[in-house]
Amino acid sequence: MTFKELNLKEEILSAIGELGFEFPMPVQEKVIPFMLEQQSDLVALAQTGTGKTAAFGLPLLNMIDPYQKQVQALVLAPTRELCIQISNDLKNYSKFLKTRVVPVYGGEDIRTQLKQLDTTPQIIVATPGRLIDLIDRGKIKLEAIQYLVLDEADEMLNMGFKEDIETILASTPATRRTTLFSATMPAEIARIAKKYMKEYTEITIGTKNSGSENVSHIYYISQAKQRYLVLKRIVDLNPDVYGIVFCRTRQETKEVADHLMRDGYNADALHGDLSQAQRDTVMQKFRFRNLQLLVATDVAARGLDVSDLTHVINYNLPDDVEIYTHRSGRTGRANKKGVAVSIIHSKEKFKIKDIERMLGKKFEQQMIPNGLEVCKKQLFHMIDKMQNVEVNEEQIAPYMEQIMKQLEYLDKTELLKRFVSLEFNRFLDYYKDSEDLNYHEKDRGIRRDRDDRDGRSPRRDREDGDNNREKRFRRGQKVRLKVSLGTREGINPSRLLGIINDIVGDKTVSVGDIEITNKFTFFDVFADQLDKVVDSFAQQKDITLAAARESNGYQEKTGSSYGGRERSSTRKKPSYNENDRRRSSNSARSTERQGGGDKPWRNRR
Ligand code: AMP
């Protein structure tokens, strides 16, 4: 099928021809004829990056009367960035038409937008909050609206625009035609469609709730504590990676991005603590590929529209499948192949199963590559680059004679060895004795209550930081643990906290209800944080940590029935001081490994 066969105006065909659109994308083949020929409403389930904007934009431009000075079409979008993008796309498609398109969105001085509205446009592209503001000021009138498009409706709901959307829907004429786009179909969307739309047709592009066919999904299993090292391996294994690393919290986003930058990677962070100007700068750098890796929270990455990501990396799995769908839908766009990678720990396998079921797709577990594999990949990437490099004969000509003379005594093999070593020694050194980061059953330090192992404790603190952690701790489920340190090792509550912080590597663990006996200390942790604590302690050779209770109530508090539930240690238990020394030398080692002094690609582009 061609665009011409879709009966679009010549002006539109010329404009999209200039943009290089040759053939309609699947969503366009379905939606354009529907909007042009049918009278009913439409719910279209399509991922971002599938060509949605032209799918609704071209028929809108075809049907709107540019000589009628009234707002005839309204497009609602969840974010400022998407709003600007849709508006720019529509302006490009209507380059040869007289139709006026104006975007209105929050986060920009309202006076500029008021000015732009002095002449009534035919199409308004808006974020819900700012639109309501402008309606309240009497600057936008919706009574002549014939077409309403809700883009990324599920995202608008996720962002809390439900009431605003309902207000807007209720203030547009009942005669309007509504088209709703959504990547997923949660019950709330179905409810809104039922309540506010006339009889509608549902079109699904791809499978419902499923990501693009172009995305392959893989996961690596490691210990939670090794996540960052796994991330580095993944990145090192894919030298041309251009992707987003999704984290759960602002804090984690900052930490991961800081580490990557410190380790010489071309990365930056995008999170809610940045000002709008800072966000814009980071996004712009990423769009122009001046950044290879963008570390972001889900909230901050909304509205960032980049079509050709090679990878989406889930530094942590999200709590629900819809978020996973959104994240992974950011790669594999515009007919390109993409990879969605998740770094998980062994207790999260059930989450992968859930996502597989919902998406109807099989995920592939891959082994985390060892140092040799990474080195080989990097080396041949470098060799490929050398083969393909453009040789600037003219510029290097003046130096060639001297270079030839200086290197005359080296044969080709010797030359290549030196060239490879020059570029590659850092990398070889870094990965020389690299550890196996894969999780093996034998690494399992401790068995936990079934409830906890089943992981019914997803951390919900996406961007909410410390305050909520406190609140959660008060209302959430606690797990009683027992550690093999007591008064004879000089433990008191503050020392216990110090040890936990030291072993976990940060100060985020909330500890409650501490009871210290001669040999053991019992304490509560929030179920959310159990894995983190347990995985960290599992690295300690001389301290054992075990669950102190069965599913309900405490099993015991004296340490007598300790056996069977903990990682047993046959070593002689050292005094706490000796222990302390060992632990600090361990953590010094691990800090170094995390990238302190030993960085493979310091001069990465
Ligand atoms: P969208 O889902 O609207 O954000 O579109 C994704 C990308 O595909 C954008 O960069 C569009 O410019 C591009 N695009 C949309 N339709 C076509 C088409 N028919 N042919 C080629 N590229 C297209």
Side-chain angles (χ1 to χ4, degrees):
M1 189 184 268
T2 60
F3 277 110
K4 213 174 169 78
E5 289 169 66
L6 291 172
N7 294 326
L8 293 165
K9 291 181 178 169
E10 276 306 323
E11 291 91 332
I12 296 177
L13 292 176
S14 306
I16 58 174
E18 283 190 9
L19 293 171
F21 292 13
E22 285 180 45
F23 301 100
M25 292 168 86
V27 66
Q28 295 159 358
E29 278 189 4
K30 287 187 175 173
V31 172
I32 296 175
F34 184 93
M35 286 182 71
L36 290 178
E37 290 155 23
Q38 309 285 319
Q39 288 308 310
S40 61
D41 287 352
L42 175 66
V43 169
L45 292 174
Q47 307 284 318
T48 35
T50 50
K52 280 183 299 141
T53 317
F56 66 77
L58 302 183
L60 281 186
L61 291 167
N62 214 65
M63 295 184 293
I64 274 165
D65 178 357
Y67 300 100
Q68 190 190 335
K69 296 277 172 259
Q70 275 177 319
V71 184
Q72 296 161 53
L74 171 65
V75 180
L76 285 182
T79 62
R80 166 187 193 269
E81 287 80 12
L82 186 59
C83 182
I84 296 171
Q85 173 148 356
I86 294 172
S87 159
N88 287 341
D89 285 351
L90 296 185
K91 284 177 188 170
N92 287 333
Y93 307 151
S94 60
K95 187 174 164 193
F96 301 114
L97 294 169
K98 294 262 174 281
T99 313
R100 239 182 120 239
V101 183
V102 169
V104 296
Y105 46 85
E108 194 192 72
D109 191 343
I110 200 162
R111 283 170 298 188
T112 324
Q113 293 173 7
L114 286 169
K115 216 172 163 79
Q116 288 197 313
L117 292 166
D118 282 345
T119 313
T120 307
Q122 283 80 25
I123 303 181
I124 285 181
V125 187
T127 52
R130 179 57 62 95
L131 178 69
I132 290 182
D133 194 347
L134 288 161
I135 294 172
D136 289 347
R137 288 168 188 247
K139 197 67 188 176
I140 291 182
K141 297 197 169 42
L142 298 182
E143 56 260 27
I145 293 283
Q146 298 170 40
Y147 309 102
L148 174 63
V149 177
L150 301 165
D151 196 12
E152 301 204 353
D154 50 352
E155 275 296 282
M156 287 200 274
L157 292 187
N158 286 341
M159 291 180 71
F161 284 133
K162 183 167 152 269
E163 278 175 21
D164 286 351
I165 292 174
E166 298 204 34
T167 308
I168 295 164
L169 283 166
S171 52
T172 52
T175 49
R176 63 162 201 266
R177 281 180 61 195
T178 311
T179 304
L180 181 152
F181 283 89
S182 190
T184 56
M185 191 64 178
E188 193 55 29
I189 297 274
R191 191 193 68 76
I192 287 188
K194 206 161 168 221
K195 184 164 173 197
Y196 292 99
M197 292 171 68
K198 298 187 286 271
E199 197 178 318
Y200 64 86
T201 302
E202 193 176 306
I203 295 178
T204 304
I205 291 94
T207 10
K208 218 185 251 193
N209 271 347
S210 98
S212 140
E213 288 307 312
N214 292 331
V215 182
S216 48
H217 302 264
I218 63 175
Y219 63 99
Y220 296 103
I221 306 186
S222 172
Q223 297 203 30
K225 211 184 168 187
Q226 312 269 41
R227 254 178 233 284
Y228 177 69
L229 295 178
V230 178
L231 172 66
K232 281 211 303 190
R233 285 237 183 132
I234 296 169
V235 173
D236 286 339
L237 192 70
N238 296 282
D240 285 327
V241 63
Y242 173 53
I244 303 181
V245 180
F246 281 101
C247 294
R248 279 170 183 264
T249 62
R250 294 173 196 202
Q251 189 53 32
E252 189 175 61
T253 304
K254 282 186 214 169
E255 282 169 12
V256 171
D258 284 349
H259 267 118
L260 285 171
M261 285 188 267
R262 208 183 60 190
D263 288 351
Y265 293 86
N266 184 11
D268 209 339
L270 189 68
H271 52 73
D273 281 351
L274 303 178
S275 68
Q276 188 62 50
Q278 287 171 315
R279 280 167 53 92
D280 287 347
T281 310
V282 175
M283 288 201 206
Q284 194 73 340
K285 269 167 57 188
F286 188 57
R287 263 192 214 106
F288 288 146
R289 285 185 172 244
N290 291 333
L291 278 182
Q292 249 187 309
L293 291 170
L294 185 71
V295 188
T297 55
D298 291 291
V299 177
R302 278 177 183 146
L304 173 70
D305 199 75
V306 180
S307 313
D308 45 2
L309 295 183
T310 60
H311 288 75
V312 160
I313 302 176
N314 295 299
Y315 193 70
N316 280 297
L317 273 181
D319 291 336
D320 53 64
V321 179
E322 272 170 33
I323 296 178
Y324 183 91
T325 312
H326 273 286
R327 288 183 181 181
S328 56
R330 290 177 165 279
T331 182
R333 290 186 182 181
N335 287 331
K336 295 209 172 111
K337 295 265 177 240
V339 187
V341 181
S342 301
I343 306 172
I344 68 164
H345 58 81
S346 60
K347 274 83 60 187
E348 287 181 312
K349 253 179 145 169
F350 79 95
K351 285 192 186 174
I352 295 283
K353 293 270 166 288
D354 279 353
I355 304 173
E356 280 184 331
R357 227 180 358 257
M358 300 282 283
L359 255 63
K361 286 206 165 167
K362 193 90 195 111
F363 282 34
E364 186 192 345
Q365 182 188 347
Q366 290 191 358
M367 295 305 281
I368 301 162
N370 61 31
L372 269 180
E373 291 167 278
V374 173
C375 287
K376 189 171 167 197
K377 191 77 185 272
Q378 286 281 352
L379 179 59
F380 284 95
H381 179 254
M382 190 174 76
I383 301 291
D384 282 348
K385 261 171 61 181
M386 185 191 68
Q387 275 184 297
N388 296 323
V389 72
E390 205 181 310
V391 176
N392 198 330
E393 302 277 359
E394 217 176 295
Q395 306 253 339
I396 58 173
Y399 313 106
M400 279 314 288
E401 195 185 330
Q402 193 183 338
I403 295 172
M404 293 293 279
K405 211 164 161 193
Q406 197 170 331
L407 301 181
E408 161 182 80
Y409 72 101
L410 295 171
D411 64 17
K412 187 175 170 184
T413 315
E414 207 44 49
L415 257 178
L416 283 175
K417 277 193 214 161
R418 280 166 198 251
F419 157 76
V420 167
S421 305
L422 184 69
E423 282 284 317
F424 208 51
N425 277 355
R426 284 190 85 84
F427 220 88
L428 289 171
D429 280 350
Y430 180 80
Y431 276 113
K432 196 167 56 195
D433 299 316
S434 56
E435 57 190 313
D436 178 7
L437 297 177
N438 289 289
Y439 172 84
H440 303 284
E441 270 306 308
K442 66 178 167 49
D443 298 339
R444 202 173 172 76
I446 152 180
R447 287 189 55 222
R448 252 161 265 136
D449 293 346
R450 171 159 279 288
D451 279 357
D452 306 320
R453 195 166 54 246
D454 282 351
R456 302 288 170 233
S457 55
R459 290 184 57 183
R460 285 237 163 238
D461 55 339
R462 295 214 184 97
E463 295 232 1
D464 55 4
D466 291 349
N467 296 344
N468 277 4
R469 209 178 63 233
E470 278 310 308
K471 279 190 223 144
R472 277 197 331 259
F473 192 64
R474 264 181 264 128
R475 70 166 181 255
Q477 189 197 352
K478 290 180 224 165
V479 181
R480 191 119 180 109
L481 294 175
K482 176 166 83 172
V483 66
S484 59
L485 297 168
T487 46
R488 69 177 185 185
E489 276 93 13
I491 288 293
N492 58 36
S494 98
R495 268 192 116 166
L496 176 74
L497 292 178
I499 289 168
I500 293 170
N501 290 343
D502 194 357
I503 291 178
V504 171
D506 60 37
K507 294 183 178 166
T508 56
V509 176
S510 305
V511 172
D513 202 0
I514 300 170
E515 187 181 335
I516 302 169
T517 68
N518 183 24
K519 294 186 198 161
F520 302 108
T521 299
F522 299 81
F523 63 95
D524 286 345
V525 293
F526 195 70
D528 279 355
Q529 299 179 317
L530 181 64
D531 285 341
K532 185 173 177 176
V533 175
V534 168
D535 288 340
S536 308
F537 270 83
Q539 315 276 317
Q540 301 297 312
K541 293 204 167 55
D542 307 309
I543 305 175
T544 53
L545 181 76
R549 61 170 182 164
E550 295 296 348
S551 50
N552 297 311
Y554 298 136
Q555 184 187 10
E556 43 76 32
K557 293 198 173 186
T558 59
S560 56
S561 56
Y562 195 52
R565 296 186 64 79
E566 87 279 32
R567 185 177 68 85
S568 67
S569 166
T570 49
R571 286 164 163 258
K572 185 173 150 284
K573 205 177 294 166
S575 77
Y576 179 65
N577 289 340
E578 187 184 344
N579 220 347
D580 203 5
R581 272 202 310 279
R582 288 186 190 192
R583 195 180 46 255
S584 42
S585 71
N586 268 351
S587 61
R589 250 200 319 279
S590 84
T591 316
E592 186 187 309
R593 266 264 164 257
Q594 301 261 349
D598 195 8
K599 298 150 197 166
W601 274 158
R602 239 290 169 240
N603 303 321
R604 193 175 277 266
R605 194 169 40 88

